[in-house]
Amino acid sequence: MSSLDLYQRDLLRAAADASHAGRLPRPDGSATVNNPLCGDKITIDITLAPDNTLSAYTHETEACVLCQASAGLIGSTLEGATATLITETHQAVTQVLEQGSGTLPTQAKGFGIFAAVTDHTARHACVLMPFEALTQAVKDAQAKTGNSS
Amino acid sequence: MSSLDLYQRDLLRAAADASHAGRLPRPDGSATVNNPLCGDKITIDITLAPDNTLSAYTHETEACVLCQASAGLIGSTLEGATATLITETHQAVTQVLEQGSGTLPTQAKGFGIFAAVTDHTARHACVLMPFEALTQAVKDAQAKTGNSS
Amino acid sequence: MTSFDPLAFRNHFPAFAAMRDEGRDFHYLDSGASTLVAAPVIAAMADHDTRLRANVHRSVHYWAEQATQAFEAARDTLAAYFGTPRAEIVLTSGTTQALNIIAYGLSDGLQTGDEVLVAADNHHANIVSWQIHAAAKGATITPIALTPLGQIDEDALAAQLTDKVRIVALSHISNVTGWEVDLNKIGSMIRAKAPNAAIIVDGAQSACHWPLFETALPDLPIDFYACSAHKMFGPTGVGMFWGRSDLMENMPPLLGGGEMITNVSFDGTGFAQPPTRFEAGTPPITQAIGFGAAVGFLTGLDHRAIRAHEVTLAATLAATLAAQPPLDTTILGGADFSRDRAPLVSFAITGCHPHDICQLADRSGVAMRGGHHCAQPLMGHFGLLASTRASIAGYNTPDDMDAAINAIKDAINLLKGT
Amino acid sequence: MTSFDPLAFRNHFPAFAAMRDEGRDFHYLDSGASTLVAAPVIAAMADHDTRLRANVHRSVHYWAEQATQAFEAARDTLAAYFGTPRAEIVLTSGTTQALNIIAYGLSDGLQTGDEVLVAADNHHANIVSWQIHAAAKGATITPIALTPLGQIDEDALAAQLTDKVRIVALSHISNVTGWEVDLNKIGSMIRAKAPNAAIIVDGAQSACHWPLFETALPDLPIDFYACSAHKMFGPTGVGMFWGRSDLMENMPPLLGGGEMITNVSFDGTGFAQPPTRFEAGTPPITQAIGFGAAVGFLTGLDHRAIRAHEVTLAATLAATLAAQPPLDTTILGGADFSRDRAPLVSFAITGCHPHDICQLADRSGVAMRGGHHCAQPLMGHFGLLASTRASIAGYNTPDDMDAAINAIKDAINLLKGT
Ligand SMILES: Cc1ncc(COP(=O)(O)O)c(C=O)c1O
Ligand SMILES: Cc1ncc(COP(=O)(O)O)c(C=O)c1O
């Protein structure tokens, strides 16, 4: 039933978006996260601008469509974003998953497709995994550059 | 219901039989056994004749009526018995408990009162405890005297 | 004073109707061992096993999703009942497994010279688990002394509290005397004098009436609390513990298996965060759902009224037994049930063995428990090997007390009459 | 050839009627995780909780006596099913707890330099338990290599077997590939070349059809065998292990608490004989009774006919999937189900994630499991992170296979179509 909505065209499109796939040659920070339930894996590379905005982002994802879509959307909507916006988006997406709705930052409205995942609690982790990896990668970069917001 | 039979007069009489209560001054062997379920305790002292018959037997019992009766009956029926008769009686009493009937050695017919305990599996250990202590005391005596049957 | 009606309360427990149908006298005074099961619990479990049986946390199909949600909803119900964050509730197979998980996990940090203080009124579950796991690390297990009534001797405890004390294992309510420990008071004393100590509380006998204590678990000066569903109108096979997450995060898991890992390889395995870390393997799913139903049922009760009712019955029974003129009857912990005490009446009558009393009382359908109640050190404190315990719950009535008193008198007559 | 009728078999499982009433498509292909529950199991547990709820081994009253007898009768049923002495059956909360009890108990005798061989096709429960408990004693945990199909590589194993090997941990049937280990053959080889090794077998996936093996457990060259009721048409929250008494007698208990002691004091605690030593605390009483009912139900079945039916379905499914022309589909362990194999069809389709396949299949009521199946080393052996598993039981039908195949095709179309 709601699986129908789950795999809507926008989601599949976001998952297929290969524009940020791969690895960065010289990342400021990287992180790999895996999902203990299914073994899925995502590796994220980033660079941070001096003002701490996300200047470059790539992901290498061995995972389901939901995780891929989430990783893809991060690329298409959050490259250039401030740390604050990233955190806000992460929180808003979590809320969308838990409650089926939530106020997403304007730039990140695309994540609204994940409202269809609400009832599928086993899949929440799939959507959030890229955010966790991103958060860790940002920490990694800040630790390496000694630059913290 | 069958509790009525359980506490029959013969049982209470056997339990009250104090003739073998207490400790021996110079036992050949001794053993203390306790019941992990209720904490009950029995200590048995024995002496063995050169032919390995049970020449003296006493018990010190902090236990229920069933255990006391069993310890009392051992005194009144098995003093003077051979090791074989003791083992046979032990086995026959176990069978009486498990099946409600069994062929007791002629000298040990008195243990037939324990047929009423059959349905009360939680109490089987109470009846058998004195036999276990007796078996250990015999082993103890044999180990000390270097005399084994 | 109280509007609590025990006969109406019985309607929640199908055992009464079943025993009536069987024509069996039924005076159940063994709720301290296991309470009867409430109807909504039996129904919730049968329904789950019929309609939504599937393993949890593993699959994305409808049945697994529903089973997982029901299982996690049970965790929410428990968290709400005890006022804890949901992530601090670990589901276990019972109090015993819970205490062993805690003992193993906390013992990891122990070394020779460290002290583990264990209240001497504890159930074996809160003694032997420390003997096994803390002793393996070289820690010393020392009993906390008791007063003549079997309560914690606060002066003695105060003298034992030092920097070296790493663990203090307490029982909230003794399963023999019913005496309740003032966790605020004792916990604060421990915090003040033994700042390195984690405080573990066996809540098996207090969890059924948690609302009585009018506090959230995390607001007490304690660190862990364990209980079992089968003493809370719930099923066997399930229990839980609450633990502070900062402590749990440093605890290694006692049980390794599915679900409790982040990744497994022969080069090294990573463990998940609590509570998952401590929930290895397929959990008792249906039972957790039954536990949730039981605690949902408990949440709706007037615990104050029920406790007043229970304690009135206990006090009557204790007073009547203590007054048996020619007999040497001891009520373990004394006959005063006026405060800080759960309705457990344990007694010893010189010359009448508890097993014989219980067996004879069984003739009239009076179900009591005789033995050491898995509290041998406490029995030893009272100079006894065993005692008889009548433990009372909301569904008991004055009629049950009369039946017990008569049955005990008959038993004494028979046992002493010869 | 076989007179087994899966539709008639469904009458034993109330889930089918319930789903029909709810109007819900129901193609349950997740029995490898948890089977459905048989009607007599649900009934036995509700009846016990209603009429005979009491704690076991503790009281002498009617209800406790009946509960104890029912609990011990369940042990007898298990012993008869597996052909073991009753005293060698230990009731646990499941396979995972069983394996941890065994791992802890056997690890007591280990020291640095000792080797523990762990088959790489094992479920995490039979890997992590050794990593936790044997590694604590300094033993080395070494994987047993696998053939390309995921079976134990016998030559590699032969080369690993020495006097230093103290433990060999095997899985009777892999929960991913369904491949069955010939315990007679492998066990004899281990006995011959590693005479100091205890052989532990995870039977979670084989216990449901034990009569197929036509042997009593003690007659096999193995020492321990563990399983869970929830994979045997029984309840969650209970399992068991069989162990040789001479080995069990020397094993210390993982869990300390009530019932498993001879006496408790602060000067020292004595442990009871097996099986009691390993059954600390209130056991999963109602669940053990449900387990007994499940195994009683299993005892009456024609396992050969059921297995033939199951394997026919598995072979069809595997062959159809393997034949999907344009897709790169791997059947883990190969598509040959003609012998020594349980009906578990795990597959991977390049570019289609198992979670997506399972989620999409759920639309048509097809319940499969996607993930690493708690067997990450085996997944790694196949070069995969995850796979989709359809696991089949007697109540499955050709219609279920058709539904699964169609659902998988639809999922692929959707996932590949963009
Ligand atoms: C082969 C195997 N071993 C062990 C287990 C663990 O069993 P449980 O989760 O019931 O403890 C399972 C099931 O998940 C299994 O399939
Ligand atoms: C105070 C106390 N602690 C621990 C336990 C053990 O609980 P369980 O047997 O459910 O593990 C009990 C009950 O037997 C108890 O009364």
Side-chain angles (χ1 to χ4, degrees), chain C residues 286-371:
Chain C
T286 308
Q287 295 69 44
I289 287 160
F291 196 2
V295 170
F297 171 72
L298 288 176
T299 303
L301 300 179
D302 180 349
H303 291 271
R304 219 157 260 295
I306 295 179
R307 179 48 53 96
H309 161 73
E310 293 169 343
V311 159
T312 305
L313 297 183
T316 309
L317 180 60
T320 312
L321 289 175
Q324 293 285 323
L327 294 172
D328 181 8
T329 302
T330 313
I331 309 290
L332 283 66
D336 178 6
F337 278 82
S338 62
R339 52 176 209 75
D340 303 338
R341 196 150 178 206
L344 300 158
V345 184
S346 295
F347 58 94
I349 299 171
T350 310
C352 294
H353 191 277
H355 266 184
D356 294 321
I357 294 175
C358 290
Q359 190 83 60
L360 287 160
D362 178 56
R363 286 185 194 185
S364 28
V366 174
M368 297 184 296
R369 188 177 165 205

Side-chain angles (χ1 to χ4, degrees), chain B residues 30-49:
Chain B
S30 300
T32 298
V33 165
N34 63 2
N35 182 335
L37 294 189
C38 54
D40 283 358
K41 212 159 97 176
I42 183 167
T43 299
I44 280 177
D45 290 333
I46 60 156
T47 57
L48 291 182

Side-chain angles (χ1 to χ4, degrees), chain C residues 32-33 94-97 99 123 125-126 171 173-175 202 204-205 228 230-231 369 374 389, chain D residues 55 58 280-283:
Chain C
T95 303
T96 299
Q97 199 198 55
L99 290 168
H123 185 279
N126 208 12
S171 190
I173 289 182
S174 158
N175 68 321
D202 175 350
Q205 295 290 340
S228 293
H230 70 94
K231 297 183 200 278
R369 188 177 165 205
C374 297
R389 183 184 76 187
Chain D
N55 215 319
R58 300 192 175 191
T282 302

Side-chain angles (χ1 to χ4, degrees), chain B residues 36-37 119-123, chain D residues 57 60 65 69 259 261-263:
Chain B
L37 294 189
D119 287 345
H120 304 281
T121 53
R123 309 298 300 277
Chain D
H57 299 151
V60 301
E65 180 71 57
Q69 288 184 18
E259 316 305 319
I261 51 94
T262 52
N263 69 295

Side-chain angles (χ1 to χ4, degrees), chain A residues 34 36-37 119-123, chain C residues 57 60 65 69 259 261-262:
Chain A
N34 63 2
L37 293 190
D119 288 346
H120 305 281
T121 53
R123 309 298 300 278
Chain C
H57 298 150
V60 300
E65 180 71 57
Q69 289 185 18
E259 315 306 320
I261 51 92
T262 53

Side-chain angles (χ1 to χ4, degrees), chain C residues 65-310:
Chain C
E65 180 71 57
Q66 296 298 310
T68 303
Q69 289 185 18
F71 180 77
E72 293 299 333
R75 195 192 307 276
D76 288 330
T77 306
L78 293 168
Y81 182 71
F82 290 112
T84 76
R86 71 184 315 282
E88 295 191 342
I89 297 288
V90 178
L91 283 150
T92 70
S93 66
T95 303
T96 299
Q97 199 198 55
L99 290 168
N100 279 274
I101 291 172
I102 299 165
Y104 179 84
L106 288 176
S107 296
D108 190 51
L110 298 184
Q111 50 199 45
T112 310
D114 285 339
E115 262 195 276
V116 176
L117 300 185
V118 176
D121 67 337
N122 269 320
H123 185 279
H124 293 164
N126 208 12
I127 300 174
V128 185
S129 45
W130 300 105
Q131 290 181 325
I132 291 178
H133 300 295
K137 301 289 177 174
T140 318
I141 320 286
T142 313
I144 301 172
L146 303 175
T147 66
L149 285 182
Q151 294 174 297
I152 285 184
D153 183 331
E154 294 181 23
D155 295 336
L157 174 59
Q160 287 177 301
L161 295 171
T162 67
D163 279 0
K164 291 250 174 241
V165 176
R166 297 290 306 278
I167 310 271
V168 181
L170 304 172
S171 190
H172 191 187
I173 289 182
S174 158
N175 68 321
V176 173
T177 64
W179 281 118
E180 176 192 322
V181 167
D182 182 340
L183 293 176
N184 252 316
K185 188 173 169 200
I186 299 280
S188 304
M189 180 167 122
I190 298 167
R191 289 274 198 253
K193 294 177 182 261
N196 301 321
I199 304 174
I200 292 82
V201 176
D202 175 350
Q205 295 290 340
S206 66
C208 193
H209 286 313
W210 185 255
L212 282 182
F213 306 104
E214 291 181 336
T215 176
L217 271 172
D219 293 341
L220 287 170
I222 65 171
D223 301 300
F224 292 88
Y225 178 94
C227 62
S228 293
H230 70 94
K231 297 183 200 278
M232 301 166 73
F233 308 137
T236 54
V238 66
M240 57 146 261
F241 69 88
W242 162 78
R244 294 198 186 272
S245 19
D246 54 333
L247 292 173
M248 287 205 282
E249 255 154 42
N250 295 316
M251 281 163 52
L254 175 67
L255 303 166
E259 315 306 320
M260 47 70 75
I261 51 92
T262 53
N263 69 294
V264 170
S265 93
F266 284 97
D267 301 328
T269 287
F271 298 134
Q273 283 301 303
T276 313
R277 185 188 301 167
F278 305 111
E279 295 180 352
T282 302
I285 302 168
T286 308
Q287 295 69 44
I289 287 160
F291 196 2
V295 170
F297 171 72
L298 288 176
T299 303
L301 300 179
D302 180 349
H303 291 271
R304 219 157 260 295
I306 295 179
R307 179 48 53 96
H309 161 73
E310 293 169 343

